Each structure stands twice: as C-alpha cells, then as structure tokens.
Amino acid sequence: MKRAAIAAIIGAAALFTALAVQRNGSSTALHLSATAIARERAAAPRGMVYVGGGDCVLGSNDEDADDDVKPARRANVPSFYIDRAEVTNSEFRRFKPAHAFPPGEKTLPVTNVTYDEANAYAGWAGKRLPTEEEWEKAARGTDGRRYPWGDLWGPARVASRAGKSSRPAEADFDSKAKSCRIGPSRVRPVGTAPAGVSPYGCVDMAGNAWEWVQGFYHGNPKQRILRGGAVGYGERACRAYNRAVEGSGVT
C-alpha cells in the first residue's frame, strides 16, 4: 500500500474525539425505537453528533483501493457520539496552555500533535479517540459511499490548501526533532467546506487535516493509523475508506 510518509512534514495530524453511548451499562445494543433514537440524538453533548448503532459498509472493492481496505464488508457498529468538527487550536490550548499557534489561527484544526497528545486531550475532555470503524461510519454513513457526500468526486467539497508562506518549504520540518516547526498553517478553519458534510453532519472528514484514530497498524506498536486525507493530498486520500500510516511518535 502507499503510505502517507510525509504527513509529519506538513504537520497534518489532527483529531476528532468520540463518546460511546451507554445504555444500562452497555453500548452494544443496536436496535432502538424511533423515540429512543430521537432522545439520544437530542442528548448529544455540545459540539458532537449522534451516530446510531447498526449495520454499515466498511472498506471497498474499488480496483485502485489499497489492499488493506479490501474487500468491502458489512459491520455492526454500536451507537456513539463524535465531534462535529476537528478540534481547534483554541480548544486544544485549554488542555495545553503552552500550545502555540500564529495569530488568527484559533479556528484552524490543531496539528503537530502526536497520537499520545491527541489521546491525552480526548481523556481530558472526558471522551476518547474514535475507533477506525466509528470514524468510517461517521464519515460515510451506512450505504458504502466513497466520500462523505456520495460516490462522485467533488473538489469544491474539500477545503483547498491555504497559500504558501514566505518561508522556504524545507524550514517547515525539523528532522532532528522529527516534528514540525510552528509557522503559518496550510490548513483551513474547521467547516470551511460545508458542502462536504457527512451523512451525520460531520465536517472536514475529507481533506483539511489527517485525523488520528485508535489502534496500531496490524498490531505494530510503532505504527498508528490516520484517516481523512489533508490539504495538498489527492482525491484518493479523501476517500472515506482510505487509511494512512505514520509512526507512533510523530506529528
């Protein structure tokens, strides 16, 4: 498979957080009445949306899809809540007061965070990172669509890359520290491309910034999984079933 080896260089590791829906001590019930579903949807915590439990399609049979997402398959995913948008710089600063970002970038998705930092933020917020299955269902719904909005590619539905700064590109990455230097970002404020909204109301699940999800890639503790693509990446990275892999300690 082709791996997103330059995700750390552009600093595009952001996060969504999720929250399981607990019923009678369990989050495994999949069949609820319309009244119960409406009640749980109305009870969504601020900034989160409700994703009902039940069947969905994961993976793909697309000929050009990476082998590790084939074949398309049905899965039962219990109900959960997930952030409507990526966590912003200003939100992350509440957790980590030392978090620095250029002026005017409060509403940009927080980037340059490691998996462990993202996981720690989620725990601080009383939530957790979504599983791959949860993330994918929130992004594409239950009908197996290729993108959050449907099966046909629409570049206008994805946040475009912000203009280049005056700094040379090679100055953006510190090879010794294996992290990105703080400087003008190439991502856009969350929700910049509302036409790319997912069936459940989530924005920026295709493009803008890569997003950490739970788990190791094939059980390898040195490799973590990202979803969603990022500004500057092509169409395939924005497919809702696409997976990217990065080292556990990079940003």
Side-chain angles (χ1 to χ4, degrees):
M1 62 172 286
K2 293 182 178 179
R3 305 194 328 185
I6 63 171
I9 295 177
I10 66 169
L15 65 146
F16 273 83
T17 55
L19 186 66
V21 177
Q22 299 292 332
R23 323 187 181 85
N24 299 322
S26 172
S27 61
T28 59
L30 298 175
H31 303 291
L32 295 176
S33 67
T35 300
I37 291 173
R39 182 171 60 248
E40 293 195 342
R41 184 177 291 114
R46 183 177 180 181
M48 305 188 86
V49 299
Y50 173 72
V51 179
D55 282 357
C56 65
V57 177
L58 303 177
S60 176
N61 292 325
D62 285 352
E63 291 184 2
D64 60 346
D66 291 327
D67 290 340
D68 69 343
V69 302
K70 295 179 179 179
R73 57 206 180 276
R74 297 203 69 82
N76 282 326
V77 178
S79 303
F80 62 98
Y81 297 112
I82 191 168
D83 289 348
R84 188 190 72 84
E86 294 161 324
V87 176
T88 65
N89 279 317
S90 62
E91 291 168 334
F92 193 77
R93 178 178 275 178
R94 292 174 54 215
F95 159 69
K96 185 179 179 181
H99 174 61
F101 52 89
E105 296 193 358
K106 289 183 177 181
T107 60
L108 268 62
V110 60
T111 57
N112 303 318
V113 293
T114 66
Y115 177 92
D116 287 343
E117 288 175 322
N119 194 46
Y121 169 87
W124 171 85
K127 306 175 186 179
R128 58 174 172 76
L129 294 180
T131 66
E132 275 203 273
E133 292 79 9
E134 288 171 340
W135 190 98
E136 189 167 330
K137 183 174 184 179
R140 69 192 305 200
T142 60
D143 57 7
R145 61 185 61 188
R146 187 174 289 119
Y147 313 101
W149 56 84
D151 287 322
L152 298 179
W153 173 239
R157 297 177 183 268
V158 178
S160 60
R161 194 172 190 178
K164 293 182 178 180
S165 71
S166 58
R167 295 179 306 137
E170 61 268 20
D172 291 340
F173 185 65
D174 186 330
S175 59
K176 292 183 178 179
K178 295 183 178 180
S179 64
C180 303
R181 299 189 178 109
I182 299 299
S185 179
R186 305 296 293 280
V187 296
R188 296 284 188 172
V190 299
T192 294
V197 67
S198 84
Y200 297 100
C202 295
V203 295
D204 297 326
M205 297 194 88
N208 214 20
W210 287 107
E211 296 150 12
W212 294 115
V213 294
Q214 287 187 34
F216 297 111
Y217 183 68
H218 291 317
N220 184 342
K222 295 183 179 181
Q223 292 184 312
R224 292 288 187 180
I225 305 165
L226 304 104
R227 305 296 295 260
V231 291
Y233 281 73
E235 171 270 330
R236 289 183 62 201
C238 293
R239 297 182 190 181
Y241 58 74
N242 184 66
R243 309 168 82 195
V245 181
E246 195 48 279
S248 292
V250 304
T251 60

